[in-house]
Amino acid sequence: MMNLSIFWKLIILCSLTSCAKSVSEDAGCFIEFQSDTYKNKPFYLASHFGKYQTLLDSVTADSKGKLIFKNKKKYVSGIYMLLNDSKEIEFEFLMDAAQQFKIEPNSKNPSKTKIYNSQENIDFKDFTVFLKTKRSEIELLQKSIKTTSSPKEKLDFADKIKSVENEIEKYKQNYRLLHTNTLALLFKLTQPLKDFSSLKNQKLATKKDSLLFLKNNYFKGIDFNDSRLLRNPFFEQKLSTYFNVFVPKTVDSITEEITRILDEANTLNSDTFKYMSLYFIDLYINPKQMGHDRVFLNLYETYFKNQTYEWLPLTQKELFKLKARLLKNNQIGSKAKELFMNSIDNTPLYLYDLNADYIVLVFWDPTCGHCQTEIPKINRLHKNDWKNINHSIYAVNINTEVKLEWEKFISKHDLNTWNHVSPAKVVRGNYSQKDVDYQTHYNIEQTPVFYLLDKDKIIIGKDIDPQEYSKLMKS
């Protein structure tokens, strides 16, 4: 079975050169760190790439604790990290536009860290110190809420927490108004929903209007083709929040929103398109909600089926193609493909021979350990929860080499009221190999696999616990 997470990481590793992608040839990158604690120790330069972190360079500090990272090309701006030999974060800083600066970190007292020739890193340090102070205030207030028994005091402490949180957001908001640099972008990416202050000046009639206003302003000022979006850990969370809060949970709505975002990012050699297209593919190839694998199919058809990308290996494109083929014919709302099977006594019994209000379709193997656990559960549902519902169970044994074990399992677990079948060795009629390829039609990569069909053989349930079929049948 395709492990897309491994594939995802492969693509990130293939993208390391993009992390050091040139944004300007002038002067290149020259960054110096100085600390007595760094003497003769090895260090790494690292960057965010979405939710991942990538190593870009390594240097050993000299006997005076000085280390220099040099590159002929500038790095994409964002949050970068100095890592020690154990790959632990020693110091976080911003890769600014000029990339010609020096930092003397002070781990014991960060406010005394010295920064030369980078106002943006000075601003970043000042905010970090400010934020740490405010978070300490919040922690003390939270402890006070837990220790007091007075309802009034609890409310007062809660109000003070809100006041401190507002101070933090006001700080970021003021900075955004005065700057367009990377730190201002980071503040936009971490802007909470409640902080769209311009909403206060809008006279919106309904809650729906307010939600629409927030939706339309959520990504305001953010360019999806900006590579800086990937050089921090916040962008993916902002994307996730947008789809969780503002986008209806329908295939059409999700597809429309993803397409709008990807189209904006889809320019030549775009890092953000590369990352986001794979982010959404990964999200919907094995989705949490039934039927949302159609989003994957839509994205495959639009962006991958007839297009090639230098960053996407051919083998991985072929895996996408295979997965699309496995999902194409078993979508919720589509007509189930005919199954050309023989019963246990070797007489033809096809899926469309069954007539019932609901058909529970089961693909299993009597020697499969998971099947041996799950099949009896289906039988309990069949005899108890579904006993007053006109239904049939069509159980396909995909392992034709174990007839004796098959028969024993049926007898042992009292499955005699099921329709038991296995693939016919010969199918008579004008049918192609493609017509009888049930494993592709029903995405059989492992067992057991379950589907729920209605009386017209329309697929109405898959990729959920069969216990949920009771709700579908009764509704």
Side-chain angles (χ1 to χ4, degrees):
M1 197 170 184
M2 175 170 60
N3 188 330
L4 199 70
S5 294
I6 292 175
F7 161 67
W8 216 154
K9 291 173 184 176
L10 172 65
I11 292 300
I12 298 305
L13 291 172
C14 291
S15 301
L16 290 183
T17 53
S18 296
C19 288
K21 188 174 172 181
S22 173
V23 293
S24 171
E25 296 294 333
D26 299 338
C29 176
F30 187 97
I31 302 171
E32 180 181 341
F33 289 90
Q34 174 82 50
S35 173
D36 290 341
T37 62
Y38 293 173
K39 294 178 181 179
N40 302 315
K41 295 178 181 178
F43 290 88
Y44 299 90
L45 177 66
S47 164
H48 291 280
F49 193 78
K51 64 182 177 182
Y52 301 96
Q53 295 177 353
T54 59
L55 297 179
L56 302 174
D57 200 357
S58 62
V59 169
T60 298
D62 64 17
S63 59
K64 295 181 179 179
K66 180 171 74 174
L67 57 98
I68 297 172
F69 291 103
K70 294 188 290 186
N71 198 319
K72 291 181 180 179
K73 298 180 179 181
K74 282 183 166 62
Y75 294 100
V76 175
S77 296
I79 299 178
Y80 283 64
M81 296 149 284
L82 179 68
L83 306 183
N84 60 27
D85 194 33
S86 300
K87 307 297 191 306
E88 297 167 334
I89 297 176
E90 191 76 25
F91 190 80
E92 276 191 314
F93 62 97
L94 293 183
M95 192 66 76
D96 63 10
Q99 301 182 22
Q100 303 284 317
F101 56 84
K102 177 181 178 180
I103 297 177
E104 296 177 359
N106 188 321
S107 57
K108 292 182 180 179
N109 189 348
S111 65
K112 293 186 177 181
T113 292
K114 295 180 180 179
I115 299 169
Y116 305 90
N117 203 32
S118 178
Q119 184 59 49
E120 193 169 355
N121 271 297
I122 294 172
D123 294 345
F124 184 52
K125 181 199 75 171
D126 290 345
F127 174 70
T128 302
V129 172
F130 167 80
L131 183 62
K132 184 177 180 181
T133 301
K134 294 303 172 183
R135 282 180 172 169
S136 296
E137 290 179 22
I138 290 173
E139 287 177 8
L140 287 174
L141 290 167
Q142 288 172 334
K143 288 180 181 178
S144 297
I145 288 176
K146 291 179 180 178
T147 55
T148 183
S149 57
S150 166
K152 183 180 182 304
E153 287 185 350
K154 287 182 184 291
L155 286 173
D156 289 341
F157 289 136
D159 286 340
K160 288 178 181 179
I161 289 174
K162 288 180 183 178
S163 179
V164 176
E165 289 174 341
N166 288 337
E167 284 184 61
I168 297 171
E169 294 309 320
K170 191 68 176 177
Y171 186 115
K172 295 195 291 184
Q173 185 184 73
N174 289 338
Y175 193 89
R176 290 197 309 269
L177 292 173
L178 297 173
H179 300 83
T180 59
N181 57 19
T182 298
L183 183 56
L185 175 63
L186 297 178
F187 287 161
K188 284 181 183 177
L189 293 177
T190 56
Q191 185 178 8
L193 288 175
K194 64 180 181 180
D195 188 45
F196 289 90
S197 58
S198 54
L199 179 60
K200 297 173 185 176
N201 301 321
Q202 302 292 319
K203 294 182 179 180
L204 302 174
T206 66
K207 184 178 180 181
K208 184 178 179 181
D209 292 333
S210 298
L211 195 64
L212 182 61
F213 179 89
L214 285 173
K215 179 178 185 290
N216 291 338
N217 283 273
Y218 189 71
F219 286 120
K220 188 175 182 180
I222 293 175
D223 177 5
F224 288 113
N225 201 27
D226 186 344
S227 294
R228 295 180 301 166
L229 294 175
L230 302 179
R231 272 65 185 192
N232 65 82
F234 310 123
F235 176 58
E236 192 167 314
Q237 181 58 50
K238 191 170 182 72
L239 266 183
S240 176
T241 300
Y242 181 76
F243 280 86
N244 288 335
V245 175
F246 297 117
V247 181
K249 304 302 184 286
T250 66
V251 168
D252 289 345
S253 295
I254 294 169
T255 300
E256 181 182 351
E257 290 288 345
I258 293 175
T259 302
R260 179 182 63 79
I261 290 171
L262 291 183
D263 283 351
E264 184 176 329
N266 192 7
T267 58
L268 186 65
N269 299 321
S270 168
D271 280 352
T272 49
F273 173 78
K274 179 193 313 181
Y275 189 91
M276 288 193 296
S277 62
L278 295 178
Y279 166 77
F280 288 120
I281 285 284
D282 190 34
L283 198 59
Y284 290 104
I285 198 166
N286 292 303
K288 295 178 181 179
Q289 187 165 330
M290 182 179 73
H292 280 187
D293 50 5
R294 187 180 288 278
V295 175
F296 160 76
L297 287 176
N298 293 340
L299 297 180
Y300 171 76
E301 291 283 337
T302 303
Y303 298 105
F304 293 97
K305 183 178 180 180
N306 298 314
Q307 299 182 52
T308 57
Y309 304 99
E310 290 184 2
W311 48 266
L312 185 68
L314 181 61
T315 52
Q316 307 303 337
K317 183 179 178 180
E318 288 299 313
L319 285 175
F320 283 174
K321 182 179 179 180
L322 172 61
K323 191 64 177 180
R325 190 160 60 91
L326 289 169
L327 292 174
K328 181 180 178 181
N329 292 315
N330 51 72
Q331 291 298 297
I332 296 294
S334 63
K335 192 103 169 173
K337 291 289 186 179
E338 176 66 289
L339 289 168
F340 302 93
M341 302 287 162
N342 283 351
S343 66
I344 203 162
D345 61 3
N346 210 34
T347 59
L349 179 59
Y350 296 171
L351 174 63
Y352 276 66
D353 292 338
L354 270 60
N355 289 303
D357 289 340
Y358 299 98
I359 296 172
V360 178
L361 186 52
V362 179
F363 296 91
W364 70 299
D365 177 347
T367 65
C368 153
H370 192 43
C371 297
Q372 291 169 3
T373 301
E374 296 302 313
I375 296 302
K377 292 181 182 178
I378 297 290
N379 201 36
R380 287 194 288 273
L381 290 168
H382 166 61
K383 291 184 174 181
N384 299 318
D385 292 37
W386 307 336
K387 63 183 178 181
N388 295 321
I389 298 172
N390 180 18
H391 73 283
S392 292
I393 298 180
Y394 190 79
V396 180
N397 168 23
I398 68 170
N399 188 349
T400 57
E401 306 299 319
V402 292
K403 188 174 182 182
L404 182 61
E405 291 92 331
W406 185 23
E407 291 174 337
K408 284 183 177 179
F409 193 93
I410 292 170
S411 176
K412 178 181 178 180
H413 294 280
D414 191 22
L415 309 179
N416 297 306
T417 54
W418 294 24
N419 297 284
H420 293 283
V421 297
S422 62
K425 293 181 179 180
V426 177
V427 177
R428 304 191 184 282
N430 188 24
Y431 300 110
S432 67
Q433 182 64 36
K434 185 177 179 181
D435 293 328
V436 300
D437 183 9
Y438 72 94
Q439 289 178 305
T440 297
H441 293 327
Y442 289 94
N443 190 18
I444 312 300
E445 295 185 286
Q446 58 187 359
T447 54
V449 174
F450 307 109
Y451 288 88
L452 179 64
L453 316 180
D454 69 9
K455 63 181 179 180
D456 299 314
K457 310 299 188 293
I458 302 296
I459 298 172
I460 60 172
K462 70 167 189 173
D463 300 331
I464 56 174
D465 191 313
Q467 212 165 338
E468 297 295 312
Y469 291 172
S470 301
K471 297 177 184 177
L472 293 173
M473 290 178 182
K474 290 171 183 177
S475 66

